[in-house]
Amino acid sequence: MTSRTGRHFLQIPGPTNVPDRVLRAMSAPTIDHRGPEFAELTLRLLAALKPVFDTEGPVVIYPASGTGAWEAALVNTLSPGDRVLCFETGHFATLWQRMARDLGLRVTLVPGDWRHGVDPHDVRRELDADPGGSVKAVCVVHNETSTGVTSPVPEIRRAMDAAGHPALLLVDVISSLGSIDYHHDAWGVDVTVAGSQKGLMLPPGLGFNALGPKALAASRTARLPKSFWHWEPVLDANRHGFFPYTPATNLLFGLDESLRMLAEEGLPQVFARHTRHATATRAAVRGWGLDVLCADERAHSSSLTGVLLPDGHDADRVRRIVLDRFDMSLGAGLGRLAGRVLRIGHLGHLGDLTLAGTLAGVQMGFQLAGVPVRPGGLDAALELLRAP
Amino acid sequence: MTSRTGRHFLQIPGPTNVPDRVLRAMSAPTIDHRGPEFAELTLRLLAALKPVFDTEGPVVIYPASGTGAWEAALVNTLSPGDRVLCFETGHFATLWQRMARDLGLRVTLVPGDWRHGVDPHDVRRELDADPGGSVKAVCVVHNETSTGVTSPVPEIRRAMDAAGHPALLLVDVISSLGSIDYHHDAWGVDVTVAGSQKGLMLPPGLGFNALGPKALAASRTARLPKSFWHWEPVLDANRHGFFPYTPATNLLFGLDESLRMLAEEGLPQVFARHTRHATATRAAVRGWGLDVLCADERAHSSSLTGVLLPDGHDADRVRRIVLDRFDMSLGAGLGRLAGRVLRIGHLGHLGDLTLAGTLAGVQMGFQLAGVPVRPGGLDAALELLRAP
Amino acid sequence: MTSRTGRHFLQIPGPTNVPDRVLRAMSAPTIDHRGPEFAELTLRLLAALKPVFDTEGPVVIYPASGTGAWEAALVNTLSPGDRVLCFETGHFATLWQRMARDLGLRVTLVPGDWRHGVDPHDVRRELDADPGGSVKAVCVVHNETSTGVTSPVPEIRRAMDAAGHPALLLVDVISSLGSIDYHHDAWGVDVTVAGSQKGLMLPPGLGFNALGPKALAASRTARLPKSFWHWEPVLDANRHGFFPYTPATNLLFGLDESLRMLAEEGLPQVFARHTRHATATRAAVRGWGLDVLCADERAHSSSLTGVLLPDGHDADRVRRIVLDRFDMSLGAGLGRLAGRVLRIGHLGHLGDLTLAGTLAGVQMGFQLAGVPVRPGGLDAALELLRAP
Amino acid sequence: MTSRTGRHFLQIPGPTNVPDRVLRAMSAPTIDHRGPEFAELTLRLLAALKPVFDTEGPVVIYPASGTGAWEAALVNTLSPGDRVLCFETGHFATLWQRMARDLGLRVTLVPGDWRHGVDPHDVRRELDADPGGSVKAVCVVHNETSTGVTSPVPEIRRAMDAAGHPALLLVDVISSLGSIDYHHDAWGVDVTVAGSQKGLMLPPGLGFNALGPKALAASRTARLPKSFWHWEPVLDANRHGFFPYTPATNLLFGLDESLRMLAEEGLPQVFARHTRHATATRAAVRGWGLDVLCADERAHSSSLTGVLLPDGHDADRVRRIVLDRFDMSLGAGLGRLAGRVLRIGHLGHLGDLTLAGTLAGVQMGFQLAGVPVRPGGLDAALELLRAP
């Protein structure tokens, strides 16, 4: 029997479940984006975003997706033909380096197995091999949404410093911001790239760049053509609470509410909750006798878990069964992982019992699909959720 | 650790989880209750309610709670001093007979143990003992929200017919309508009493009376004082799509949407879903080694399950732990069951994974409260949910 | 050409335009009406209602319409056969006395012309003529929604006191509360009867009784049968933030927001705004060369204006034209005023420009219907709206 | 006195008043953007957009503002150093040519007085002067939001054809689409650029490109760097109902509803309504004795009206008074018109009485600001609104 009644379980690693409060806030009537009420909203948002990125510097908000925010980070800091250093940590890292190529940059791509994060030794080695400083930026995905593997941003920074290399550090936190501990300033990141639809608990449609001083300096001489993404007019207009072109007003209403919710819960509590849910999910995967995709114990994502299926079993079939029978959306394996992996999202607005229901659904899906799993996965997770 | 983030689990046996669609429908601007658009709405609702009660007769909608609809059933059909026959099947049956007394009726209350439904033999015996016909109405709660026990309405009707007694049959379906199979006409019910906040998936605030021909005839001579509850002006005004006083417009918007949802799923599918969830829940209770409150295998409710706690264990403490730790509301034991019973609501807008999360939360709550339960409850439920 | 696009103008004297904020508040998920969050809500509401009624005493909230709140006022304070004194000030006063009769009370109805409020001399004369105190209650409609005429409650109270008569004073403020200055305690009112759908800016579905000490005392001996409307169980349960039966939770969410809005604007400002809009509307009516229905300059309502049409002109035709052509709902003449009067609601959530649009629509409606009006009505209103 | 209660009047020329239906649609829970339900939504939207642009070709939807859609039109069709022909019809035309320069294009800007549209003779002359075909695109703003002046797209096309010039025709319909008659295919437009926040009655956050066959052909060889804006991956993914990066799901929910509303009213009716409102607004301006900014009778915009203030009067002061006293937002003069012009938006979801209220507010604002106006403006508008 099919269960299509009741609340849908949206357990992909983003877009995440938007809280009712945020949906209601977004449904307020659109206001004049050049009026005083709007200016107050903008200034409040820009202030409230700083602790989320943990930065004293400016944050630029785009009426665009996170992918757009990647493009913004590149075109504001780089010039045609510049070299960037990328790491093949998964699907999204791969897309980012492809974007860099499309925009006329030269890319050095360090290959990877999609089960590990960026190795700081690789960073060091590549930069040491570039005494002339042709590499202008190092692009790192903090949390690979396609794999559930994180990369150690502070260690990467240290490797860059140790190499004495002037390249900028650009970090994608699209699926970690508001879910996994992150410090733009303290970690020495130059541009942080984010989106609205994950830990910020909003629908998609907003992209963010947090800007460090070195990035701002670079933007004054960068020569990639740009207009829509240009930081400068945004920073100018933001000073008075406005934008150089029409902003996505109702998503900003939602952001106002979601930032309030993050502040109410407290970021340390938010991060601890994500860690706890991730630990419970991995306990379930191991309880089933399956492998977590992430092969590095220090690199597990707190926002999603990739599950490797045994050879001969089709992850997409499991996902289809889970959707048809239990009305739950799970993440597919992307790119080279298609069909071999499913991804369980456990980020954003999520409570213990929704996670329990999620894991119950995954367990039943495996069983119905004939994937050989041990029955104890869910119980192992509950044991952790129950712990004090 | 406490989980207060994510969606609250409202697993009391009503009010139930109102679907997003219904909440959105209710948030449309209020309209003129004397205008043509409103008349269309009323006529559409009155037509769409008929299959839900399974009646060809009129249904009266009150801007009031289900308790008000009880009062309406009594004051429209009875006269001061009339005798009514009630059955102590639980808390709400007890409240109903108290209301009858408060309104100046004489009540014969057949005692009960709160673990069984109405016994048709009791009906027969009581009516046989009333050859003069002083009993004017038999009041039955179809599904006791305080216990999770149903009463066999068709058999009660047959017992009344067999006794050749002219009393009216008044049935409370507040927590069964739209969840458990019910047939106002075919079962020979004279007044069916309902509310909005259970199987109809609405917030509280609407009460209903479905009227059979004998009830309508009785209403012409009934002498209990009445004004607000008087059927006649409502039926008159309804003819043209209006109400004699201001109706609860926005709840009617919600009703329009929830009736559409019931029709989309199909009532037989709705009932089957409730049966399936109730079966799985009872499997969990038994898997934990606990007793279902309902002591009659034929009388299990499909909309809620009462769970008896072992002696010496406080159900309210379990409920408090579950609320504090897992952000789930469960039903308390009411009246004489206070502290000894908890009630799991599984009616209305509910999917398999929300039920799985619910049962996971109850299981963890028992464990945290030190109630001795076997661990297999949830697994037993999942086995049923997984079955084809 | 017809204009059915854009926001509907709901300019009946209630239900009024529900603010977006309130609609959004109402669309929050329903919560457990026996849980701690609900108790907090109830206690907050009960406290916030006191200044609106301007009373230190309790306010009872019913999940019912204002008509139900009338019934509650009667059945809690009176006994079968008691006499009540009513005044034929309009349609709703007439309905109230009919309700009193239906409930088994004896009514003395002082006739009226539907263009004046209650005359305190009539009160004095009727009570002087009742030395034995057979009159138990005086029922007054503060603001007649069917006519736009107010009655002088403080003067009525003084007339009762001057007569030394012990009758209770019951006052219907359904269309004045939150719009016109009112003081339950200071004016010596015993029961104030209110509803949600007018000055409280909510959809219909909540009724209110504010209770003075004499009314509470009377309720201890009153013998009209009652259960649903009984104050006592409500007051008992309210003490801890609960209700004796399921309350209309989502309307209470809305009430929470609308009380916040009234407090933000400030009641004196709210009343001044209504006075200003009423003055402007009467200026329009006179500018058109038509008569305001209210024939007593001291009795004009601030929440609606009744407009008398010249003989031979059908008010309902004007209303139909205004609805068809300009998508605005106006109030019809009720009862004996049917077809001769239209009513312009200007209460609740209303700004100057919506009032200007409303009066523009009425003016155009008169012109299209061939009602002979002078063109200066709207201009006269704007002159007042423009004044500092 | 200030009126800040009631509905705000958002009468800027966009963002426009978003209908309640659309806001509610947007508040539905975000869904999996890779699931079957999403694919159905996309395919439905892509089909429903065609009649709005009146094209058989593809329409690309961006999660971005209209300004982004401009950039998309340029980077997909042009190469570094290409020449484009722009016309200084107002502020937004000026911004567009600046964007072209910023992106590395060479711009020929035909100067203008901000009171006339593009003159087709200018187009002909400029193209005749370019026999070598160095001009690759002609950029025209169909309806200048900063002035209320339209440009004659079909005549421009004819001028291009008469010149036998191969340049592409790129047209910005941001403030005309869904308000003013427009035909992408029949008028021979190559790329049409649109946004969500005007005639489509949505919040800002979606941008559109409608693509003609010549534009698609050009995109295969265009060499401006692009990634986010690249049509090709969007068109590829759209084929199956998906997007190459996360789309702005909830805005798409809103688009689904707003396209339904446009279809319900019928585009011819929508255009006629806008024409009627614009005519009434100009009648008001002339009735006040003021000048409409647009100096060409054939070029009046149906979506907004620019009003020139007499010398020595500050338009922004009028706007501030109108906002403070009447809670209405009007459009400011932009760029070189700052302080000299105010703009009345009358596009999108708008009815006659809201327009009447708007014009009443403007009239009162002029009077309060001491701008010498004749009193008959509003009356002149109402006369037209009243006409059959």
Side-chain angles (χ1 to χ4, degrees):
Chain A
M1 259 192 81
T2 297
S3 161
R4 280 279 177 166
T5 299
R7 196 158 177 88
H8 178 73
F9 272 58
L10 182 71
Q11 299 305 135
I12 56 175
T16 62
N17 289 292
V18 180
D20 301 306
R21 280 174 62 176
V22 172
L23 289 172
R24 282 197 301 279
M26 279 178 46
S27 68
T30 308
I31 59 173
D32 180 7
H33 59 301
R34 302 180 197 266
E37 187 181 347
F38 189 89
E40 275 178 46
L41 170 68
T42 303
L43 296 174
R44 182 168 67 243
L45 290 175
L46 293 176
L49 281 168
K50 287 182 187 291
V52 176
F53 287 88
D54 199 9
T55 183
E56 293 301 315
V59 178
V60 172
I61 310 174
Y62 291 106
S65 71
T67 304
W70 277 351
E71 185 158 320
L74 297 174
V75 297
N76 276 286
T77 56
L78 299 168
S79 298
D82 278 355
R83 268 186 63 207
V84 299
L85 179 59
C86 293
F87 299 86
E88 192 203 354
T89 51
H91 183 67
F92 290 99
T94 307
L95 291 183
W96 201 3
Q97 64 87 22
R98 189 184 306 163
M99 169 183 275
R101 286 185 212 274
D102 287 343
L103 293 173
L105 302 168
R106 289 176 303 144
V107 176
T108 302
L109 180 66
V110 178
D113 69 353
W114 295 41
R115 301 191 64 181
H116 292 79
V118 173
D119 185 337
H121 298 104
D122 288 346
V123 176
R124 177 70 190 268
R125 189 193 61 239
E126 292 293 331
L127 295 183
D128 281 347
D130 178 47
S134 75
V135 170
K136 299 301 183 195
V138 176
C139 299
V140 171
V141 176
H142 181 218
N143 182 69
E144 244 298 345
T145 318
S146 66
T147 62
V149 182
T150 61
S151 286
V153 176
E155 295 175 40
I156 292 164
R157 174 80 262 171
R158 279 195 290 275
M160 293 171 70
D161 291 346
H165 196 284
L168 297 171
L169 176 56
L170 314 185
V171 179
D172 161 359
V173 299
I174 288 176
S175 60
S176 58
L177 190 82
S179 302
I180 303 178
D181 201 24
Y182 184 79
H183 307 279
H184 176 88
D185 285 3
W187 290 359
V189 178
D190 296 302
V191 186
T192 297
V193 172
S196 54
Q197 75 274 21
K198 313 267 178 169
L200 293 184
M201 307 181 291
L202 285 166
L206 294 179
F208 303 89
N209 277 182
L211 317 182
K214 273 178 61 186
L216 275 164
S219 74
R220 277 174 218 120
T221 54
R223 286 176 294 99
L224 273 176
K226 60 192 147 289
S227 173
F228 183 81
W229 307 114
H230 203 169
W231 291 340
E232 194 182 314
V234 179
L235 295 174
D236 282 351
N238 275 185
R239 231 157 257 139
H240 303 99
F242 299 109
F243 286 87
Y245 39 78
T246 318
T249 308
N250 289 55
L251 287 167
L252 297 179
F253 291 161
L255 179 61
D256 198 27
E257 187 72 12
S258 73
L259 291 174
R260 203 171 289 130
M261 291 178 74
L262 287 178
E264 285 171 11
E265 187 174 359
L267 282 174
Q269 286 71 31
V270 170
F271 299 148
R273 169 167 58 84
H274 281 81
T275 303
R276 195 163 149 273
H277 284 173
T279 308
T281 303
R282 289 197 299 278
V285 176
R286 286 158 185 164
W288 293 322
L290 298 177
D291 286 333
V292 171
L293 178 61
C294 175
D296 176 353
E297 197 56 39
R298 299 157 309 172
H300 285 305
S301 167
S302 285
S303 48
L304 77 142
T305 300
V307 185
L308 255 180
L309 265 77
D311 284 344
H313 290 276
D314 178 4
D316 290 337
R317 193 169 158 252
V318 177
R319 289 175 53 250
R320 211 154 39 232
I321 287 171
V322 166
L323 180 60
D324 287 349
R325 280 290 306 269
F326 303 116
D327 198 24
M328 174 160 64
S329 299
L330 296 169
L334 297 176
R336 62 148 93 162
L337 298 172
R340 298 176 48 213
V341 158
L342 61 78
R343 294 173 298 143
I344 304 171
H346 37 70
L347 75 166
H349 187 62
L350 189 68
D352 286 11
L353 299 192
T354 298
L355 182 65
T358 297
L359 298 175
V362 175
Q363 178 168 303
M364 292 191 286
F366 282 138
Q367 293 168 326
L368 287 167
V371 177
V373 293
R374 294 199 304 257
L378 178 57
D379 289 336
L382 295 186
E383 195 154 335
L384 284 164
L385 292 178
R386 202 170 66 221
Chain B
M1 260 192 80
T2 295
S3 160
R4 279 279 177 165
T5 299
R7 197 159 176 86
H8 179 71
F9 272 58
L10 181 71
Q11 300 305 134
I12 57 175
T16 60
N17 290 293
V18 180
D20 302 306
R21 279 175 63 177
V22 172
L23 289 171
R24 283 197 301 279
M26 277 178 47
S27 69
T30 308
I31 59 173
D32 180 8
H33 59 301
R34 302 181 198 267
E37 188 181 347
F38 189 89
E40 274 178 45
L41 169 68
T42 304
L43 296 174
R44 182 167 66 244
L45 291 174
L46 294 177
L49 282 167
K50 288 181 188 290
V52 176
F53 287 89
D54 199 8
T55 182
E56 293 301 316
V59 178
V60 172
I61 310 174
Y62 292 105
S65 70
T67 305
W70 278 353
E71 185 158 319
L74 298 174
V75 298
N76 276 286
T77 56
L78 300 168
S79 299
D82 277 356
R83 270 184 65 206
V84 298
L85 179 60
C86 293
F87 299 86
E88 192 203 354
T89 51
H91 183 67
F92 290 98
T94 307
L95 290 183
W96 200 4
Q97 64 89 21
R98 190 185 304 162
M99 170 182 274
R101 286 185 214 274
D102 287 344
L103 293 173
L105 302 168
R106 289 177 300 145
V107 176
T108 301
L109 181 65
V110 178
D113 69 354
W114 294 40
R115 300 190 65 181
H116 292 80
V118 174
D119 185 337
H121 297 104
D122 288 346
V123 176
R124 178 70 192 266
R125 187 193 63 240
E126 291 294 329
L127 295 183
D128 282 346
D130 178 47
S134 74
V135 170
K136 298 301 183 195
V138 176
C139 298
V140 171
V141 176
H142 181 218
N143 182 68
E144 244 298 345
T145 318
S146 65
T147 62
V149 182
T150 60
S151 284
V153 176
E155 295 175 40
I156 292 165
R157 175 79 261 173
R158 281 195 289 276
M160 292 171 70
D161 291 346
H165 195 285
L168 298 171
L169 175 58
L170 314 185
V171 179
D172 161 0
V173 298
I174 288 176
S175 60
S176 58
L177 191 80
S179 302
I180 304 177
D181 200 25
Y182 185 77
H183 306 280
H184 176 88
D185 285 2
W187 290 0
V189 179
D190 296 303
V191 186
T192 296
V193 172
S196 53
Q197 75 273 20
K198 313 267 177 169
L200 293 184
M201 307 182 291
L202 285 166
L206 294 179
F208 303 89
N209 278 181
L211 317 181
K214 272 178 63 186
L216 275 165
S219 74
R220 277 173 218 121
T221 54
R223 284 175 296 99
L224 273 177
K226 62 192 146 288
S227 172
F228 183 81
W229 306 114
H230 203 169
W231 292 339
E232 194 182 315
V234 179
L235 296 175
D236 282 352
N238 275 184
R239 230 156 259 139
H240 303 98
F242 298 108
F243 286 88
Y245 40 80
T246 318
T249 308
N250 290 54
L251 287 167
L252 297 179
F253 291 162
L255 179 61
D256 199 27
E257 187 71 13
S258 73
L259 291 174
R260 202 171 290 130
M261 291 178 73
L262 288 177
E264 284 171 11
E265 187 174 0
L267 282 174
Q269 286 72 29
V270 170
F271 299 148
R273 171 168 56 83
H274 281 80
T275 302
R276 196 163 148 273
H277 284 173
T279 307
T281 302
R282 289 197 300 277
V285 176
R286 287 158 185 163
W288 293 322
L290 298 178
D291 286 333
V292 171
L293 178 61
C294 175
D296 176 354
E297 198 55 38
R298 298 157 310 172
H300 285 306
S301 167
S302 285
S303 47
L304 76 142
T305 300
V307 185
L308 254 180
L309 266 77
D311 285 342
H313 290 278
D314 179 4
D316 289 337
R317 196 171 155 252
V318 177
R319 289 175 53 249
R320 212 154 38 232
I321 288 171
V322 166
L323 180 60
D324 287 348
R325 281 290 307 272
F326 305 115
D327 198 24
M328 174 161 64
S329 299
L330 295 170
L334 297 176
R336 63 147 94 161
L337 298 172
R340 299 174 47 212
V341 157
L342 61 76
R343 294 173 297 143
I344 304 170
H346 36 70
L347 74 168
H349 188 62
L350 190 69
D352 285 11
L353 299 192
T354 297
L355 182 66
T358 297
L359 297 176
V362 174
Q363 178 168 304
M364 292 192 285
F366 282 138
Q367 292 168 327
L368 287 166
V371 177
V373 293
R374 294 199 304 255
L378 177 58
D379 289 337
L382 295 186
E383 194 153 337
L384 284 164
L385 291 179
R386 203 171 65 220
Chain C
M1 259 191 83
T2 296
S3 161
R4 279 280 176 165
T5 299
R7 196 157 177 88
H8 179 71
F9 272 59
L10 182 70
Q11 299 306 135
I12 56 174
T16 60
N17 290 292
V18 180
D20 301 307
R21 281 174 61 178
V22 172
L23 289 171
R24 284 197 299 280
M26 279 178 47
S27 68
T30 308
I31 59 173
D32 180 6
H33 60 300
R34 302 180 198 266
E37 188 182 346
F38 189 88
E40 275 177 46
L41 169 68
T42 303
L43 296 174
R44 183 168 66 243
L45 290 175
L46 293 176
L49 281 168
K50 288 182 188 290
V52 176
F53 287 88
D54 199 9
T55 183
E56 293 301 315
V59 177
V60 172
I61 309 175
Y62 291 105
S65 71
T67 304
W70 278 352
E71 184 158 321
L74 298 173
V75 299
N76 276 287
T77 56
L78 300 168
S79 298
D82 277 356
R83 268 184 64 206
V84 298
L85 179 59
C86 293
F87 300 86
E88 192 203 354
T89 51
H91 183 67
F92 290 98
T94 306
L95 290 183
W96 201 3
Q97 64 87 22
R98 190 184 304 162
M99 170 183 273
R101 284 183 215 275
D102 287 345
L103 294 173
L105 301 168
R106 287 178 302 146
V107 177
T108 301
L109 180 66
V110 178
D113 70 352
W114 294 41
R115 302 191 62 181
H116 292 80
V118 173
D119 185 339
H121 297 105
D122 289 346
V123 176
R124 178 70 190 267
R125 189 193 59 238
E126 292 293 330
L127 296 183
D128 282 346
D130 178 46
S134 74
V135 171
K136 298 303 183 194
V138 175
C139 298
V140 171
V141 175
H142 181 218
N143 183 69
E144 244 298 344
T145 317
S146 65
T147 62
V149 182
T150 61
S151 285
V153 176
E155 295 175 39
I156 293 164
R157 175 79 262 170
R158 279 196 290 275
M160 293 171 70
D161 290 347
H165 195 285
L168 298 170
L169 176 56
L170 314 184
V171 179
D172 160 358
V173 299
I174 289 176
S175 59
S176 58
L177 191 82
S179 302
I180 303 178
D181 200 25
Y182 185 78
H183 306 280
H184 177 88
D185 285 4
W187 291 0
V189 178
D190 296 302
V191 185
T192 297
V193 172
S196 53
Q197 75 273 23
K198 314 266 178 169
L200 293 182
M201 307 181 291
L202 285 165
L206 294 179
F208 303 90
N209 278 181
L211 316 182
K214 274 178 60 186
L216 277 164
S219 75
R220 279 175 215 118
T221 54
R223 286 175 294 100
L224 273 178
K226 61 191 147 289
S227 172
F228 182 81
W229 305 114
H230 203 169
W231 291 339
E232 194 183 315
V234 180
L235 295 174
D236 282 353
N238 274 184
R239 229 157 260 139
H240 304 97
F242 298 109
F243 286 88
Y245 39 81
T246 318
T249 309
N250 290 53
L251 287 167
L252 297 179
F253 292 162
L255 179 61
D256 200 25
E257 187 72 13
S258 72
L259 291 174
R260 203 171 288 130
M261 291 179 74
L262 287 178
E264 285 172 10
E265 186 175 358
L267 282 174
Q269 285 71 30
V270 170
F271 299 148
R273 171 168 56 83
H274 281 80
T275 302
R276 197 164 146 272
H277 284 172
T279 306
T281 303
R282 288 197 300 276
V285 175
R286 286 160 185 162
W288 293 322
L290 298 177
D291 287 332
V292 172
L293 178 62
C294 175
D296 176 353
E297 197 54 38
R298 299 157 310 172
H300 285 304
S301 166
S302 285
S303 49
L304 77 142
T305 299
V307 184
L308 254 180
L309 265 78
D311 283 344
H313 290 278
D314 178 5
D316 289 338
R317 195 169 157 251
V318 177
R319 290 175 53 248
R320 212 152 41 230
I321 287 170
V322 167
L323 180 59
D324 287 349
R325 281 290 306 271
F326 304 115
D327 199 24
M328 173 160 66
S329 298
L330 295 169
L334 299 176
R336 63 148 94 161
L337 297 172
R340 296 176 48 212
V341 158
L342 59 78
R343 293 173 299 142
I344 305 170
H346 36 70
L347 75 168
H349 187 62
L350 190 67
D352 286 10
L353 299 191
T354 298
L355 182 65
T358 298
L359 297 176
V362 174
Q363 178 168 306
M364 292 191 286
F366 281 138
Q367 292 168 326
L368 287 167
V371 177
V373 293
R374 293 199 304 257
L378 177 58
D379 289 336
L382 295 186
E383 195 154 335
L384 284 164
L385 291 178
R386 202 172 67 220
Chain D
M1 262 191 82
T2 296
S3 161
R4 279 279 178 167
T5 300
R7 195 157 178 90
H8 178 71
F9 272 59
L10 182 71
Q11 299 307 134
I12 57 175
T16 60
N17 290 292
V18 181
D20 302 306
R21 280 174 63 176
V22 171
L23 289 171
R24 284 197 299 280
M26 279 178 46
S27 69
T30 308
I31 60 173
D32 180 7
H33 59 300
R34 302 182 199 266
E37 188 181 346
F38 188 89
E40 274 177 47
L41 169 68
T42 303
L43 296 173
R44 184 168 64 243
L45 290 175
L46 294 176
L49 281 168
K50 287 182 188 291
V52 175
F53 287 87
D54 198 9
T55 182
E56 292 302 315
V59 178
V60 171
I61 309 174
Y62 291 105
S65 70
T67 304
W70 279 351
E71 185 157 321
L74 297 174
V75 299
N76 276 286
T77 56
L78 300 169
S79 298
D82 278 355
R83 267 184 65 208
V84 299
L85 178 59
C86 293
F87 299 85
E88 191 202 355
T89 51
H91 183 67
F92 289 98
T94 307
L95 290 183
W96 200 2
Q97 64 86 22
R98 189 183 307 162
M99 170 182 272
R101 285 183 214 274
D102 288 345
L103 294 173
L105 301 169
R106 288 178 301 145
V107 175
T108 301
L109 180 66
V110 178
D113 69 353
W114 293 41
R115 300 190 66 181
H116 293 79
V118 173
D119 185 338
H121 297 104
D122 289 345
V123 176
R124 178 70 191 268
R125 188 193 60 237
E126 292 293 329
L127 296 183
D128 282 345
D130 178 47
S134 75
V135 171
K136 298 301 183 194
V138 176
C139 299
V140 171
V141 176
H142 181 217
N143 182 68
E144 243 299 343
T145 318
S146 65
T147 62
V149 182
T150 60
S151 286
V153 176
E155 295 174 38
I156 292 164
R157 175 79 264 171
R158 279 195 291 274
M160 294 171 70
D161 291 347
H165 195 284
L168 297 171
L169 175 57
L170 314 184
V171 180
D172 161 0
V173 300
I174 289 177
S175 59
S176 59
L177 190 81
S179 302
I180 302 177
D181 200 26
Y182 184 78
H183 305 280
H184 177 88
D185 285 4
W187 292 0
V189 179
D190 295 303
V191 185
T192 296
V193 172
S196 53
Q197 75 274 20
K198 314 265 179 171
L200 292 183
M201 307 182 291
L202 285 166
L206 294 180
F208 303 89
N209 278 181
L211 317 181
K214 273 178 60 186
L216 276 164
S219 74
R220 278 173 216 120
T221 55
R223 285 175 295 99
L224 274 178
K226 61 191 147 288
S227 172
F228 183 80
W229 307 114
H230 204 169
W231 290 339
E232 192 181 316
V234 180
L235 295 174
D236 281 352
N238 275 186
R239 229 156 260 137
H240 303 98
F242 299 109
F243 287 88
Y245 40 80
T246 319
T249 309
N250 290 54
L251 287 167
L252 297 179
F253 291 161
L255 179 61
D256 199 25
E257 187 72 13
S258 73
L259 291 175
R260 202 171 290 129
M261 290 177 74
L262 286 178
E264 285 172 10
E265 187 175 358
L267 282 174
Q269 286 71 31
V270 170
F271 299 148
R273 171 167 57 83
H274 281 80
T275 302
R276 197 163 147 271
H277 284 172
T279 307
T281 302
R282 288 196 301 277
V285 175
R286 287 158 184 164
W288 293 322
L290 299 177
D291 285 333
V292 171
L293 178 61
C294 174
D296 176 355
E297 196 55 36
R298 298 156 311 172
H300 285 304
S301 166
S302 285
S303 49
L304 77 140
T305 300
V307 185
L308 255 181
L309 264 77
D311 283 345
H313 290 277
D314 178 5
D316 289 338
R317 194 169 158 252
V318 177
R319 289 176 53 249
R320 213 153 41 231
I321 287 171
V322 166
L323 181 59
D324 288 349
R325 282 289 307 271
F326 304 115
D327 198 23
M328 174 160 66
S329 300
L330 295 170
L334 298 176
R336 63 148 92 160
L337 298 172
R340 296 175 48 211
V341 156
L342 60 76
R343 294 174 298 142
I344 304 170
H346 36 72
L347 75 167
H349 187 61
L350 189 68
D352 286 10
L353 298 192
T354 297
L355 181 65
T358 297
L359 297 176
V362 174
Q363 178 169 304
M364 292 191 286
F366 281 138
Q367 292 168 328
L368 287 166
V371 177
V373 293
R374 293 200 303 258
L378 177 58
D379 288 337
L382 296 186
E383 195 154 335
L384 283 164
L385 291 178
R386 202 172 66 219

